[in-house]
Every structure is written in C-alpha cells, then in structure tokens.
C-alpha cells in the first residue's frame, strides 16, 4: 500500500514543479515560497482536524518536536532553493536534479540511522547520482 502513496507523491511533486514554474514568473521566489507554505499549512491542518488527529499533539516528546522542527526548517530551505532554481532553469533540468535527494537520503540513512542497504538500493542510488551528474554537466 505504501507504494500507492509514493506514486501519488511523485505525481503531485511533478505537478508542483509545473505549477510553480508558471506561478513564479515575475515573482520573488521567497514570496512565492511563503504563499505556497501558507496554502500547505491550511491544507495540512484542515486534514488533521477533519481526521481528528490533532488530539495527539500533547503526546509529542521533546525529541519529536526537535526533529519535526528541524524537518520543517529543512523543507523550507529546500523549497526556497527549489523555487529559485525553477526561476533560473528549466523544469526538465531542475526537477531531476532535485531528485538527487533520494540518493542523498539513502546515504544519510545508512550513515546516521544505521539502516542496512541492499545491493539494489546502492545501485539505484549510484544510478541517480550518475544521472544527476549527466544532467548537470
């Protein structure tokens, strides 16, 4: 079932790049990111409220809060850089390079989370890195 959500995620991420490229034309990318973030904030809280999951907020630990805040900071910085890259480059260049994050996530998970890596995962990460280098160079 996880792969269905992953495919939807990929689809919506692709739409994000296309919509953003059109939406940032002539707009400061930091402002565009702030507007996008406000929309996401409303949608995410709306879903949490409708599904009744907000009552779990009191059970979050200090570690939960620290790493959720760090994740939010990383997401915000990623979006700011992504929008600027989209403004300067083509979607067909920026979006694939942005997906280098997949290979980086695998490497970081192995190093810091001590997750095991299979030959297939290692090969996939290497191919993503190679493909990214081909696009950049």
């Amino acid at each position: 079932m996880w792969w269905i959500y992953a495919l939807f995620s990929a689809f919506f991420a692709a739409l994000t790049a296309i919509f953003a490229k059109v939406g940032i034309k002539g707009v400061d990318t930091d402002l565009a990111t702030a507007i996008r973030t406000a929309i996401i904030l409303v949608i995410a809280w709306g879903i949490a409220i409708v599904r009744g999951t907000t009552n779990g907020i009191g059970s979050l630990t200090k570690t939960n809060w620290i790493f959720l805040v760090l994740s939010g900071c990383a997401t915000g910085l990623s979006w700011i850089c992504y929008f600027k890259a989209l403004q300067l480059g083509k979607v067909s260049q920026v979006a694939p390079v942005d997906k280098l994050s997949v290979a980086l996530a695998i490497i970081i998970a192995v190093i810091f989370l001590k997750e095991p890596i299979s030959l297939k995962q290692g090969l996939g990460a290497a191919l993503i890195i190679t493909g990214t280098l081909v696009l950049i160079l």
Side-chain angles (χ1 to χ4, degrees), residues 54-61:
T54 56
N55 58 0
I57 202 165
S59 65
L60 295 176
T61 67

